[in-house]
Amino acid sequence: MWVMITLLLLVAEEHGKEADDSVILESPVLPVMVGESVTLLCKNKLISTNLTADFYKDNVLIGSSNTGAMIINNVSQSDAGRYKCRVSGAGESPGNWLFVKAGVILECPAHPVKGGDSVTLRCRKHNDPTTRIADFYRHGVHINTGYNGEMIIHSASKSDEGPYKCSISGFGESAESWLAVKDDSVILESPVLPVMVGESVTLHCRSHQTTSSNLSVDFYKNNVLIRSSNTGAMVINNVSQSDAGRYKCRVSGAGESPENWLLVKEYPKELIPLCSDQILLYFIFKAPATILCSALMFYVLRKWEFGK
């Protein structure tokens, strides 16, 4: 009895698989562009003509067709999703994903731009060189309208960094692009090599935006303000190990520099005793020997000269 039940279940399972596999949905594998037309084709291996099919998007019935085909005209982002079809008496197809790519493209620098440089953002329709009026957004907020499809950022700074997108009326909007700004308008000049304990060190803060010699600067060590200067320089006298750390400077209205490490190195403890011992040995042994040798040579030379 149990054997018969098991066989019936296996037959039912195999029949279910055949039913499931007999219906397939043909749809684009690659993303389609906004504005294009897409045809979804439902096929049944058992029925080749007069195929009546129901079409579903995200498990919601969206239409029926007696030809087995459904056309989506003027595709938009809202048409993206998971599609499947069902044939009465034959089952339903596996779900296929329809991906939609924006027909509007924002051309934005892929690499960080230098602080102070001008940046041009261009908005265009895919595969269309025609210049169109475009609206530009940053963090989702409208910031500019480019009547030639362009937006120029003069003298870019860190405050201009962020996500941008654009839209063209009637064609949709672009995906977001990130504009990164590398602000090196302020630099801190400091020693690259370690400085020795007891030496003096001068840190210079310079700004490409300000050429005045009277530069008001704040100096920071490990993100803590330690000194202000109206000359753009900070002198550390008699350097000690406690002066080692990360330094940066800030110029009002121009920004702050990247951090630089100041490394401090001590004189080897063995150096001074070693030098003292060598000097002592020289005066005890080598100096008298040198004087004696010189006197003996002088005596021999004088005696040889008088012997002539």
Side-chain angles (χ1 to χ4, degrees):
M1 182 68 179
W2 286 107
V3 175
M4 181 63 68
I5 294 174
T6 303
L7 289 173
L8 289 173
L9 289 174
L10 288 173
V11 169
E13 184 180 354
E14 289 300 321
H15 178 73
K17 285 183 179 180
E18 289 178 5
D20 290 342
D21 293 342
S22 65
V23 180
I24 59 173
L25 176 66
E26 292 182 354
S27 63
V29 177
L30 298 177
V32 297
M33 301 299 299
V34 169
E36 292 180 347
S37 293
V38 175
T39 300
L40 305 180
L41 191 59
C42 191
K43 290 187 175 182
N44 181 6
K45 295 177 181 178
L46 304 177
I47 305 174
S48 57
T49 58
N50 299 325
L51 184 65
T52 300
D54 295 327
F55 290 86
Y56 297 79
K57 176 178 178 279
D58 299 328
N59 291 321
V60 177
L61 178 65
I62 57 173
S64 297
S65 168
N66 58 5
T67 64
M70 186 180 78
I71 300 175
I72 305 174
N73 293 307
N74 194 22
V75 169
S76 67
Q77 291 282 3
S78 62
D79 293 312
R82 187 171 179 269
Y83 288 78
K84 65 182 178 180
C85 64
R86 183 190 298 273
V87 177
S88 180
E92 68 178 29
S93 71
N96 285 357
W97 278 93
L98 177 66
F99 297 98
V100 179
K101 188 176 181 182
V104 177
I105 299 171
L106 175 63
E107 295 179 351
C108 178
H111 301 288
V113 298
K114 184 179 178 182
D117 287 353
S118 293
V119 180
T120 300
L121 304 181
R122 293 181 176 86
C123 191
R124 63 180 179 86
K125 185 177 177 291
H126 180 70
N127 289 335
D128 185 359
T130 307
T131 300
R132 304 177 186 275
I133 298 174
D135 291 312
F136 292 85
Y137 302 82
R138 180 170 177 267
H139 291 298
V141 178
H142 182 266
I143 56 172
N144 200 312
T145 298
Y147 293 94
N148 60 349
E150 295 183 351
M151 185 186 91
I152 300 176
I153 302 174
H154 299 282
S155 188
S157 66
K158 271 290 185 183
S159 61
D160 295 308
E161 193 171 73
Y164 288 79
K165 66 180 179 180
C166 66
S167 66
I168 298 176
S169 179
F171 297 100
E173 66 180 26
S174 70
E176 280 190 335
S177 296
W178 185 272
L179 176 65
V181 180
K182 183 181 179 182
D183 191 358
D184 57 355
S185 58
V186 179
I187 59 173
L188 176 65
E189 296 178 353
S190 61
V192 177
L193 299 177
V195 297
M196 303 303 294
V197 169
E199 294 181 346
S200 293
V201 175
T202 301
L203 306 181
H204 292 278
C205 190
R206 304 192 188 279
S207 172
H208 298 310
Q209 300 178 10
T210 307
T211 56
S212 174
S213 57
N214 296 323
L215 193 63
S216 179
V217 175
D218 293 327
F219 288 89
Y220 296 79
K221 179 192 172 202
N222 299 333
N223 288 322
V224 177
L225 177 65
I226 56 172
R227 198 180 305 179
S228 297
S229 168
N230 57 6
T231 64
M234 182 182 80
V235 180
I236 305 175
N237 293 308
N238 194 23
V239 169
S240 66
Q241 285 289 357
S242 62
D243 293 311
R246 296 176 288 111
Y247 288 79
K248 66 180 180 181
C249 62
R250 184 190 298 273
V251 179
S252 179
E256 68 178 30
S257 70
E259 288 184 324
N260 287 353
W261 275 92
L262 178 65
L263 304 175
V264 179
K265 187 176 181 181
E266 293 185 352
Y267 284 101
K269 295 180 180 180
E270 300 85 1
L271 186 59
I272 296 177
L274 181 60
C275 289
S276 301
D277 292 344
Q278 288 177 342
I279 293 171
L280 183 61
L281 289 172
Y282 176 79
F283 281 105
I284 293 175
F285 297 104
K286 290 189 178 180
T290 302
I291 295 172
L292 183 60
C293 247
S294 299
L296 184 58
M297 287 182 65
F298 180 76
Y299 172 76
V300 170
L301 287 173
R302 291 288 294 173
K303 187 173 181 180
W304 178 78
E305 186 179 348
F306 283 111
K308 285 184 175 181

